[in-house]
Amino acid sequence: MSRFNALVIGTSAGGLNALTRILPALDSDFPAPIIIVQHMSPDGSNFTASLLDRISKLTIKEGDEKEKLEPGTVYLAAPNYHLLIERDKTLSLSVDPKVNYSRPSIDVLFESAAEAYSDKLLGLILTGANNDGTMGAIKIIKFGGSVIVEDPDSAEASAMPLSVIENCKVDKILPLDEIADYLNIIIKEN
């Protein structure tokens, strides 16, 4: 059994490009659910999930209320909804106020995931132009999980990775092109 039972990913500006390089390179037998917050316009469509699903070996969809998390499935936050993970490993949606000017918020996802998975959670912060995800990364580490950050030099927008690196003791900093291979290995290690 893997050390990690779930992977959460947070990204913002430049995130679609980063996700199109990481998700298609993940193994088809990826043994954990992946839950993603990509900042987007509140009136956006499900275009992102459809696009990523077409190019990935994994099933990629928007997360639904009360949906049970399954290994090998990627759940994206829907536009204008916070996406949370409950302690019973199901999803919940919220229209609570924006956090860090964002709904969905990375911090909201990461903090709920840390409480649900504690030391069995792996977090990944990718490109972005704000500091959403920093408080969530701090909570993942506090609960015994691990955090990986995209190397700010490879990020289209470096502010979000830099904020996490400056405020947390992260486990790994990787260039974008090395992240998928690392995830394929670490998610299967004990």
Side-chain angles (χ1 to χ4, degrees):
M1 174 171 271
S2 171
R3 177 187 183 294
F4 300 107
N5 290 347
L7 167 65
V8 287
I9 300 175
T11 188
S12 186
L16 182 58
N17 180 48
L19 292 172
T20 60
R21 293 171 65 183
I22 292 172
L23 295 177
L26 295 179
D27 293 341
S28 60
D29 62 345
F30 201 82
I34 302 169
I35 308 94
I36 300 173
V37 163
Q38 156 74 66
H39 290 160
M40 60 184 75
S41 167
D43 55 356
S45 69
N46 65 358
F47 166 78
T48 303
S50 298
L51 168 72
L52 293 171
D53 187 60
R54 281 196 301 270
I55 62 173
S56 174
K57 297 177 279 279
L58 304 172
T59 299
I60 301 178
K61 62 185 294 300
E62 286 186 357
D64 292 319
E65 178 75 17
K66 304 292 183 196
E67 187 170 8
K68 183 174 184 235
L69 294 169
E70 299 289 345
T73 302
V74 181
Y75 305 88
L76 277 122
N80 212 24
Y81 287 92
H82 291 302
L83 184 64
L84 297 92
I85 301 174
E86 301 294 334
R87 290 178 190 261
D88 66 358
K89 315 300 190 279
T90 60
L91 295 172
S92 66
L93 306 178
S94 161
V95 290
D96 284 346
K98 293 180 179 181
V99 175
N100 299 315
Y101 309 102
S102 302
R103 188 175 56 217
S105 162
I106 298 164
D107 280 340
V108 169
L109 170 64
F110 279 22
E111 290 175 3
S112 67
E115 291 176 5
Y117 285 98
S118 61
D119 65 339
K120 298 288 188 182
L121 181 66
L122 180 61
L124 170 60
I125 289 287
L126 299 171
T127 177
N130 60 23
N131 67 354
D132 193 20
T134 299
M135 296 308 295
I138 290 170
K139 190 160 184 176
I140 289 173
I141 292 168
K142 178 181 175 185
F143 277 62
S146 295
V147 173
I148 302 167
V149 178
E150 180 182 359
D151 185 332
D153 289 340
S154 76
E156 287 187 40
S158 62
M160 206 156 76
L162 279 172
S163 177
V164 174
I165 291 167
E166 291 170 358
N167 291 285
C168 303
K169 186 173 183 343
V170 301
D171 296 274
K172 201 84 170 169
I173 300 169
L174 293 169
L176 179 61
D177 289 338
E178 295 179 18
I179 291 173
D181 287 343
Y182 183 77
L183 292 174
N184 282 326
I185 293 168
I186 194 169
I187 205 73
K188 295 176 182 171
E189 287 182 349
N190 289 326

